Amino acid sequence: MGGRVRRSAPVSPAAGTGGAVSSSASAPSDGEAVVDGDARLSAAMASVTVPDGAEVSVAVLDPDSGGTAGHGTGAFETASIVKVDILAALLLRAQDAGRSLTVAEKAYAAAMIEKSDNDAASALWRAIGAGDGLDAANERFGLTGTGGGDGPLWGLTRTTAADQVTLLRQVFVADGSLLSGASRAYVRGLMKRIADGQRWGVSAAADAAEGAAGAAWALKNGWLRRSTTGLWIVNSIGRVESGGRGCLVAVVSRGSGTRAEGISLTEAAARAPVSVFTNTGL
């Protein structure tokens, strides 16, 4: 089983849109050589052990410099990281209607993000119009390689790492975002209050002194064991603070033999792009 991908034209995440991860580089000045962020990230990813049969894709954006980098291509099932997208779509619909979220919607949203509650996600998936509603919102957000899951199967939405960074930009960066300041702050707040036991993934790349407390990260993880293969989808998206810099990071993976193996892969893959920005800058 899988979701539908309706828009798949690959474009650079540097342009604020998703699709297959493509090359990015900083502009040369005073005769300096162009910095290839993708090449640096690929070099950093060489130290990441990817289990046999597993796949991983990573994208990162430094909102301050505008620098981007990506490694790996292709669409991956979202599992529960789509819950950020569902909430963003709900908030956009509410903004369009000139209203605030209802008490019930807020309760569902908090449970969906903080605790990764699936029943809450299903309720809000229906509220936004399921896959068609998600696709409509994502078209406005600039996601080009994401397609909502069929029927009630929100967890089988398919996406790219680059698209997830584009979504994170809508949440964490005011410039160009369709979400209001209040909407962005609401999503960020929930992503900083993730339940104990779910604070893994991109948070592994945050400053150690603050990471455990949530001050240096805001995230949403997703994990799903496919019944057809017995293998795991393990994903993580969010913002991390490291070395005094903030980065938006998305890691999507599939094919791990266990959930723990997938988490280890996701965390190692998250550290690689953050090291590219904090150690070398782009």
Side-chain angles (χ1 to χ4, degrees):
M1 297 177 65
R4 57 194 183 282
V5 178
R6 295 174 174 170
R7 299 175 299 279
S8 58
V11 293
S12 169
T17 53
V21 178
S22 58
S23 180
S24 59
S26 62
S29 61
D30 299 326
E32 294 178 357
V34 172
V35 177
D36 188 338
D38 291 0
R40 287 187 175 182
L41 178 53
S42 292
M45 285 292 293
S47 65
V48 175
T49 300
V50 180
D52 290 341
E55 300 174 72
V56 64
S57 182
V58 185
V60 61
L61 165 67
D62 180 346
D64 292 332
S65 70
T68 63
H71 174 84
T73 60
F76 291 68
E77 289 81 7
T78 58
S80 284
I81 61 170
V82 76
K83 292 170 180 175
V84 175
D85 204 359
I86 293 172
L87 179 53
L90 178 70
L91 288 164
L92 189 61
R93 289 170 67 93
Q95 288 179 196
D96 289 345
R99 67 173 182 86
S100 300
L101 297 189
T102 67
V103 172
E105 287 171 337
K106 288 181 178 179
Y108 283 136
M112 177 177 71
I113 302 297
E114 295 177 13
K115 300 178 181 179
S116 205
D117 185 274
N118 291 337
D119 290 339
S122 293
L124 295 184
W125 178 252
R126 293 189 294 269
I128 65 168
D132 289 339
L134 189 78
D135 289 345
N138 283 341
E139 186 169 6
R140 296 170 65 185
F141 288 143
L143 279 65
T144 61
T146 299
D150 293 327
L153 303 178
W154 46 261
L156 295 187
T157 295
R158 291 174 62 81
T159 193
T160 64
D163 260 15
Q164 289 303 298
V165 166
T166 297
L167 176 64
L168 291 171
R169 195 181 191 286
Q170 289 285 329
V171 173
F172 289 94
V173 182
D175 185 24
S177 178
L178 298 183
L179 297 176
S180 68
S183 292
R184 294 194 308 274
Y186 180 66
V187 182
R188 293 195 303 266
L190 295 180
M191 293 175 71
K192 290 181 178 181
R193 295 195 293 269
I194 299 301
D196 290 342
Q198 297 182 25
R199 299 177 179 182
W200 44 265
V202 297
S203 57
D207 288 330
E210 296 182 290
W217 55 260
L219 64 79
K220 183 69 191 80
N221 296 322
W223 58 98
L224 174 67
R225 184 177 182 270
R226 294 306 306 269
S227 59
T228 52
T229 64
L231 301 177
W232 283 83
I233 296 163
V234 182
N235 305 323
S236 185
I237 62 172
R239 182 185 185 277
V240 299
E241 291 276 353
S242 180
R245 304 182 69 171
C247 294
L248 306 181
V249 185
V251 182
V252 289
S253 76
R254 60 182 166 225
S256 292
T258 65
R259 179 174 177 267
E261 185 179 82
I263 290 174
S264 294
L265 172 59
T266 301
E267 292 187 336
R271 293 187 186 101
V274 174
S275 71
V276 168
F277 281 84
T278 58
N279 295 338
T280 63
L282 287 179

